[in-house]
Amino acid sequence: MLDSGPIAGVNSAFVRDYLLPDDAPATRAAAVVLANFLGEPFYAELRTRQQLGYIVGSAAAASQRQRFFTFIVQSSEYAPAELQKRAEAFIATLPAALAAITDAQWTTLVAGARATLATKPKNMADKAEEFFGSAYTYDGEWERRAAALAALDQLTREQALTLLRSTLASPATRQRTVLLASAKHAQPTDAGSIGERGPWKATRQFR
């Protein structure tokens, strides 16, 4: 799915989301590991080496039970189509890059994910937000953190690689959206696949 259009200001932007298959504990655990892996090379290539824009990043994100990887590049120098071409060319190399890491690097990624998943709320407001999410967003799943940590203990690099390939690279399984936002000075982007947003929103089902 593609959405595109002009925006005010001097910065154009490319935002690509890849939907993960489910909200299972194993998927949540793998997503944290993979987010740690994706972040550094994506930034190093597109921000540091290619210098496409000031804002470059990737992350694992969630909206209720839908989980996804998101990639963003914002630039005052390049049109959205160019940002898309370069970003997607690099994203396509990430599964092979994960396959090539050492055992020590994999261990470090898992340790970082474990520290993230084990982090507990630091104040009453954060604790209340966690309880609210467990009760209402996740229908009383009080042990989500423990379930994800248990799944992390069983996660292998091969399983994470399979998830990354199916999410980013496999035409049969990947589900993607892209937003191309054009600054006033940039070349106009191609027409999006959404069309008018009002009628399109009326056809959506939100979970």
Side-chain angles (χ1 to χ4, degrees):
M1 182 182 72
L2 168 65
D3 191 12
S4 64
I7 56 172
V10 298
N11 291 308
S12 295
F14 156 83
V15 182
R16 167 70 85 184
D17 293 337
Y18 292 86
L19 185 66
L20 290 165
D22 52 47
D23 186 51
T27 302
R28 300 199 307 270
V32 178
V33 175
L34 292 171
N36 289 343
F37 166 73
L38 299 172
E40 193 282 329
F42 186 73
Y43 182 91
E45 173 64 22
L46 300 183
R47 172 68 178 92
T48 304
R49 196 182 77 79
Q50 296 192 32
Q51 298 186 351
L52 291 190
Y54 183 72
I55 296 177
V56 175
S58 65
S63 175
Q64 296 187 350
R65 289 187 179 275
Q66 290 193 328
R67 313 191 75 82
F68 53 95
F69 295 131
T70 187
F71 298 84
I72 182 170
V73 182
Q74 179 176 303
S75 174
S76 61
E77 301 294 330
Y78 295 92
E82 183 66 18
L83 300 179
Q84 179 182 16
K85 181 179 73 173
R86 297 198 194 189
E88 292 184 346
F90 185 72
I91 290 169
T93 70
L94 291 170
L98 178 64
I101 67 172
T102 65
D103 291 342
Q105 289 171 317
W106 171 253
T107 299
T108 299
L109 288 171
V110 172
R114 182 173 289 108
T116 298
L117 290 169
T119 300
K120 296 182 178 180
K122 295 182 173 57
N123 53 57
M124 290 298 294
D126 289 344
K127 187 68 173 178
E129 183 178 353
E130 181 180 69
F131 273 127
F132 183 89
S134 297
Y136 295 100
T137 303
Y138 301 114
D139 303 319
E141 291 185 22
W142 303 106
E143 301 300 325
R144 282 177 63 83
R145 184 203 309 274
L149 283 166
L152 180 65
D153 289 337
Q154 304 300 317
L155 181 69
T156 67
R157 178 168 35 175
E158 290 71 24
Q159 290 169 330
L161 181 57
T162 296
L163 178 64
L164 191 64
R165 284 172 172 161
S166 66
T167 302
L168 300 186
S170 172
T173 56
R174 68 186 178 192
Q175 298 183 65
R176 306 172 294 169
T177 64
V178 63
L179 170 66
L180 302 178
S182 302
K184 291 181 178 179
H185 71 280
Q187 296 177 1
T189 59
D190 295 334
S193 59
I194 289 178
E196 291 296 326
R197 290 174 178 80
W200 177 82
K201 287 182 179 180
T203 67
R204 300 301 92 189
Q205 294 183 357
F206 298 96
R207 295 182 291 174

